[in-house]
Amino acid sequence: MAYEFIKVDREGPVTVITLNRPDVMNAMHSPAHFEMDDALNAFVADPDQWVGIVTGAGDRAFSAGNDLKHQATGGVMKSPPSGFAGLTSRFDLTKPLIAAVNGVAMGGGFEIALACDIILASENAVFALPEPRVGLAALAGGLHRLPRAIGTKRAMGMILTARRVSAAEGKELGFVHDVTAPQDLMDAARALAKSICELGPMSIRASKEAVYKGLDEPSLEAALRGQNKYPAIAALYASEDFKEGPLAFAQKRAPQWKGR
């Protein structure tokens, strides 16, 4: 599929998806949601793609969120079942995603970042859920993911004031993994993706699924008892990589991961 509002680059086992509407600060409208859905579907389906990076075009914004001007002028506001940006309701994605936040991440833009597994931020990144300022609410996951990431009281301090948070404060609060100079952001994201790719991809997917599904269990005991029923963990046990890792260790060589 040829994309108009995003760019997709495959760099070895890493897929880089760039939100590409810099003239409107990479705000999302219906066509962009469906392009993201298609790109993420392709990422999921490709056995040779192990890690994804999501970033924004230009140096001003990761994404300003919902394209309010498009909405106000009667533009169609539809999204796929996978949610805002084809991501926020995609709960079966076990491949890791890194958000490389290169500027403003407001509203839906912040929700895209929160739907990723790791957030790297440029020093000029700014985060907020400002929907109440325009009579809306952050219903694409922000109201649920942010409290889970930083705790209820700190999240409510952001949500109920719609205040802006810098990259440095985001790291202090705990939702930002690391902060870089603007010119170093994508190098840092690629280095992080490379470090993940050095590990067993089946192990990474099983670990991600166990964390998220385990958090939804009613207790630690239930999480431990239930984890062997999770699809990615069952796939890990049945994989060639499950045999390759210990064998490579015993033979004192680097493992040759296949992702299956």
Side-chain angles (χ1 to χ4, degrees):
M1 178 177 177
Y3 299 121
E4 183 178 358
F5 303 111
I6 66 172
K7 293 191 298 182
V8 177
D9 298 291
R10 292 177 177 84
E11 304 173 0
V14 178
T15 293
V16 180
I17 302 176
T18 304
L19 308 175
N20 191 29
R21 302 184 72 211
D23 54 321
V24 291
M25 299 181 72
N26 302 317
M28 300 295 294
H29 63 348
S30 184
H33 293 316
F34 282 93
E35 287 190 2
M36 280 290 291
D37 178 65
D38 185 84
L40 287 166
N41 288 343
F43 169 64
V44 170
D46 190 337
D48 296 324
Q49 295 302 294
W50 294 355
V51 180
I53 298 172
V54 180
T55 193
D59 56 8
R60 296 176 59 208
F62 175 74
S63 173
N66 185 26
D67 189 339
L68 294 178
K69 291 182 179 178
H70 179 80
Q71 180 176 348
T73 55
V76 175
M77 295 302 297
K78 292 183 178 179
S79 60
S82 52
F84 194 91
L87 177 59
T88 59
S89 295
R90 188 181 288 268
F91 296 107
D92 59 352
L93 175 57
T94 57
K95 295 181 181 182
L97 284 182
I98 299 165
V101 179
N102 53 305
V104 168
M106 296 289 183
F110 190 14
E111 291 176 300
I112 294 170
L114 287 169
C116 294
D117 304 297
I118 298 174
I119 298 177
L120 292 180
S122 162
E123 291 168 343
N124 65 344
V126 179
F127 302 88
L129 295 175
E131 284 87 345
R133 294 188 184 278
V134 291
L136 303 175
L139 298 176
L143 299 180
H144 306 290
R145 287 190 168 100
L146 188 60
R148 284 167 168 78
I150 66 174
T152 302
K153 297 303 183 185
R154 287 185 290 184
M156 292 297 268
M158 289 183 62
I159 291 165
L160 298 184
T161 63
R163 73 181 184 90
R164 298 185 175 196
V165 167
S166 68
E169 186 180 357
K171 184 176 181 181
E172 181 181 343
L173 288 169
F175 65 80
V176 170
H177 172 71
D178 205 1
V179 181
T180 75
Q183 66 272 18
D184 297 331
L185 178 65
M186 289 308 297
D187 286 342
R190 289 184 172 96
L192 183 58
K194 181 180 178 182
S195 71
I196 296 172
C197 289
E198 291 171 355
L199 309 176
M202 303 297 290
S203 300
I204 291 295
R205 294 167 204 168
S207 298
K208 173 177 172 175
E209 185 175 61
V211 168
Y212 289 126
K213 286 187 177 294
L215 287 172
D216 289 336
E217 298 282 6
S219 68
L220 174 60
E221 180 182 0
L224 286 168
R225 291 183 182 277
Q227 64 187 1
N228 288 335
K229 300 176 183 178
Y230 302 157
I233 291 180
L236 168 64
Y237 287 152
S239 70
E240 294 179 42
D241 285 354
F242 191 68
K243 300 174 183 177
E244 167 63 9
L247 180 62
F249 178 82
Q251 296 177 348
K252 299 181 179 180
R253 62 173 176 80
Q256 301 298 308
W257 304 122
K258 295 182 179 178
R260 62 177 186 270

